[in-house]
Structures are given as structure tokens and as C-alpha cells.
Amino acid sequence: MAEQAQETVDTSPQPILPFLELGSSPHLRGFKCVCGAAYLDVKRVACSKCGEQNKFSPIKLSNKGKVYVFSVVHQSFPGIKTPYVTAIVDLPEGVSVRANLVDVVPEQLQKEPNKYFDMPVEMVTNVVAKDREGHDVVSFAFRPSK
Ligand SMILES: [Zn+2]
């Protein structure tokens, strides 16, 4: 039983979603088909562009993209602060990601929506919770590019 004396407790931050890579340069992980099509989801078995199966290799997706469309959310679950902005962000690899927009004023986006379509944004990570084992649970969002 002496071997168990060296048990270490891993409390490193954990991503909230499997395709979020943390570490020194957090990024989203996608998959690229041999034909060039890129995807975010990992459970895909065939490429919808060329039909090839299991010809995917992992790629690091860009942290910068553009707002394709957004919505200002006024009602949510208890404990979730509203209003907030949810968006679909297009990444240069051809992948679309749903995420919240932060560092924006929701009322401003409602007032002048046309100013925010195609807005350049960059990914940021933030700790949203702590799990039962004491890990910080990290999520991601996009904010206007600096
Ligand atoms: Zn393909």
C-alpha cells in the first residue's frame, strides 16, 4: 500500500467543452478533412463536403473571427445575469462557433445592430464555476478585437 502515498491531487483548470484547449494559449480545437473542410464537432464520422470517412486530423482554430449574427438575451435561467449577448462567430477556417459576446453593451447592440455584424472579435476564456474536485471550470467567449 506504500505506492499510494504519492497520490497527487490534480486541481488544474478544466474546459467546459471538449473542444476548448487550455494552457498557455487557449484555443478551440477543430478537425480538418483531407478535402479542406473544417469542423468543430468531434463526433462527425463523415465529411459533409466530400463524403470521406474518418479522414479528419485535428487543427488549432483561430482565436479571431467575425460576428455573423447575434441576439440580445433578456430572459434566462435563475442566476444568469441578463441582458447578455449570444452570437455566432465565423472563424477563418470556415467553422462557425456559438458563444457569448463580452465587453459589449447589450443595449448598444440592440440600438445599432448593423454596426456589429461582421465585427472582428477575439476569443477569451473565463472561469465560470468550480467543480466538485476543486477544478476551475473554464468557458470561452468572444470580445471585440483590440
Ligand atoms: Zn471532406
Side-chain angles (χ1 to χ4, degrees):
M1 284 302 170
E3 302 94 65
Q4 290 184 347
Q6 279 292 63
E7 186 182 329
T8 54
V9 181
D10 174 21
T11 55
S12 58
Q14 299 295 310
I16 198 163
L17 291 163
F19 52 84
L20 173 62
E21 294 279 346
L22 301 178
S24 57
S25 68
H27 62 274
L28 300 178
R29 185 174 12 92
F31 287 86
K32 193 170 197 165
C33 177
V34 286
C35 76
Y39 301 96
L40 185 63
D41 53 312
V42 294
K43 296 208 168 95
R44 178 176 293 270
V45 291
C47 177
S48 60
K49 195 172 170 196
C50 73
E52 283 283 3
Q53 292 186 7
N54 301 313
K55 295 281 176 69
F56 300 109
S57 45
I59 54 167
K60 177 181 176 178
L61 295 172
S62 174
N63 283 347
K64 292 181 187 258
K66 283 184 170 182
V67 172
Y68 173 65
V69 70
F70 65 86
S71 181
V72 179
V73 179
H74 290 275
Q75 290 190 331
S76 191
F77 297 99
I80 305 287
K81 193 171 165 272
T82 58
Y84 66 88
V85 182
T86 183
I88 295 175
V89 172
D90 287 340
L91 303 181
E93 292 82 8
V95 173
S96 300
V97 187
R98 200 214 66 76
N100 287 349
L101 283 188
V102 296
D103 295 353
V104 293
V105 180
E107 293 80 5
Q108 201 64 40
L109 276 77
Q110 273 192 311
K111 217 184 282 176
E112 301 177 280
N114 289 335
K115 279 177 71 174
Y116 297 92
F117 294 120
D118 278 340
M119 176 173 66
V121 289
E122 61 191 14
M123 193 186 88
V124 290
T125 56
N126 54 330
V127 175
V128 291
K130 214 173 237 315
D131 70 11
R132 270 178 286 180
E133 288 85 38
H135 305 103
D136 284 337
V137 178
V138 179
S139 185
F140 68 97
F142 284 87
R143 69 178 179 201
S145 284
K146 297 271 152 97

